[in-house]
Amino acid sequence: MATLPNPLPKLASDPSGRSLGLRLPPGRLIDTTDQGVWHEPLLWHAERAAAPGNWAALGGPAARAGLVPVLVDLGGSQGGPQRWDLAPADMSYPGDHDAEEVLADLWEEWAAEDEEWPGLAGAPSLQADPGARAAQVADLLADEGPSWFEAPHLALVPARRSADVPAVIGWSGPVNHENDTARLSAVLRSWEDRFGTRVVGIGFDVLAVSVAAPPTTVAEAESVAAEHFAFCPDNVLQGSGTLKAYAAGLIGEHAWSFWWD
């Protein structure tokens, strides 16, 4: 996994983050992996639960410091990221994968034999600034919004872009579907480019993204639904049951969530 210089080690001696141009609340550096202690912190997260406004206040300064904000769930039976079996050593680099090839491979594995891969969906028009939409969705999740996360806390990850966050921390939430999360990050990069998405929240096996250019028609939604099915079959197989029913819920939706069994 190719990485950028990691500014997080500075927080060990400067927990306020002032040397990075940040004003951080009390927090914790996470370097625990499935193979023991990692050679540098993978992420920092605040000790107190996220509140509306936290994302917007920290997002800009964090980006200038080379850090990407994301909400991490410290609730649930699995606890926080120190107990998630993070596996950064097993990750490749998202830029080494082609999003359509990844989705086509996964589609072939999960779709019925007579269902051909339909290809990538087109890019709808942006309805909002992607950064502003991410802050809105983060505030919604922090303010007891959709019950995807029990205890979201604001975190910072040293990543090139939002889509790379799952791969950078070695997230293993989709391991029963894809054990190299960088392949899914390649898809998330493509969604960033086409739909203005941002990774907003990560739990033990749940991922939430904001969407600044959601599908606005049935046809657009059905094309996006095919990508979602390849990316996370459980969304359909253990949810709405059919792609058409699933697609109906994507029209105009400002946030997408994914869960792997």
Side-chain angles (χ1 to χ4, degrees), residues 102 106 171-184 260:
V102 170
L106 294 172
W171 185 54
S172 57
V175 68
N176 292 332
H177 178 54
E178 172 59 63
N179 58 16
D180 182 3
T181 309
R183 282 166 48 87
L184 298 185
W260 291 264

Side-chain angles (χ1 to χ4, degrees), residues 216-241:
T216 58
T217 68
V218 170
E220 288 177 350
E222 289 181 351
S223 294
V224 175
E227 296 192 29
H228 283 206
F229 176 73
F231 186 82
C232 180
D234 290 331
N235 266 29
V236 177
L237 298 179
Q238 299 194 42
S240 56

Side-chain angles (χ1 to χ4, degrees), residues 61 108 159 169 196 235 242 250:
E108 184 176 351
I169 67 174
N235 266 29
T242 68
L250 297 178

Side-chain angles (χ1 to χ4, degrees), residues 125-204:
S125 299
L126 281 172
Q127 297 182 8
D129 173 79
R133 177 57 52 79
Q136 292 169 358
V137 173
D139 284 355
L140 180 65
L141 295 176
D143 194 27
E144 300 183 1
S147 57
W148 303 326
F149 306 109
E150 294 189 23
H153 289 232
L154 188 64
L156 299 174
V157 176
R160 285 179 169 81
R161 53 195 290 182
S162 169
D164 292 358
V165 165
V168 167
I169 67 174
W171 185 54
S172 57
V175 68
N176 292 332
H177 178 54
E178 172 59 63
N179 58 16
D180 182 3
T181 309
R183 282 166 48 87
L184 298 185
S185 280
V187 176
L188 291 170
R189 283 185 171 197
S190 179
W191 289 353
E192 279 190 358
D193 296 339
R194 287 181 290 138
F195 307 116
T197 65
R198 297 292 185 269
V199 173
V200 173
I202 297 179
F204 172 69

Side-chain angles (χ1 to χ4, degrees), residues 6-232:
N6 187 347
L8 289 181
K10 292 183 179 180
L11 299 182
S13 58
D14 174 29
S16 71
R18 295 191 181 210
S19 64
L20 298 175
L22 305 174
R23 297 180 62 182
L24 299 178
R28 179 176 181 180
L29 291 167
I30 301 298
D31 58 7
T32 307
T33 77
D34 64 342
Q35 298 180 4
V37 176
W38 195 241
H39 64 276
E40 60 184 5
L42 296 167
L43 70 146
W44 168 94
H45 71 71
E47 293 285 4
R48 68 183 182 219
N54 289 168
W55 183 288
L58 194 55
R64 291 190 288 273
L67 298 166
V68 174
V70 66
L71 298 177
V72 295
D73 188 11
L74 272 63
S77 60
Q78 297 294 333
Q82 72 276 9
R83 297 177 57 192
W84 289 355
D85 291 329
L86 300 177
D90 297 338
M91 301 296 134
S92 59
Y93 176 55
D96 290 339
H97 305 285
D98 178 80
E100 182 162 18
E101 289 181 3
V102 170
L103 289 170
D105 286 347
L106 294 172
W107 174 274
E108 184 176 351
E109 180 178 351
W110 287 93
E113 290 186 8
D114 60 344
E115 292 181 312
E116 294 186 2
W117 165 242
L120 294 182
S125 299
L126 281 172
Q127 297 182 8
D129 173 79
R133 177 57 52 79
Q136 292 169 358
V137 173
D139 284 355
L140 180 65
L141 295 176
D143 194 27
E144 300 183 1
S147 57
W148 303 326
F149 306 109
E150 294 189 23
H153 289 232
L154 188 64
L156 299 174
V157 176
R160 285 179 169 81
R161 53 195 290 182
S162 169
D164 292 358
V165 165
V168 167
I169 67 174
W171 185 54
S172 57
V175 68
N176 292 332
H177 178 54
E178 172 59 63
N179 58 16
D180 182 3
T181 309
R183 282 166 48 87
L184 298 185
S185 280
V187 176
L188 291 170
R189 283 185 171 197
S190 179
W191 289 353
E192 279 190 358
D193 296 339
R194 287 181 290 138
F195 307 116
T197 65
R198 297 292 185 269
V199 173
V200 173
I202 297 179
F204 172 69
D205 54 7
V206 178
L207 177 74
V209 303
S210 59
V211 189
T216 58
T217 68
V218 170
E220 288 177 350
E222 289 181 351
S223 294
V224 175
E227 296 192 29
H228 283 206
F229 176 73
F231 186 82
C232 180

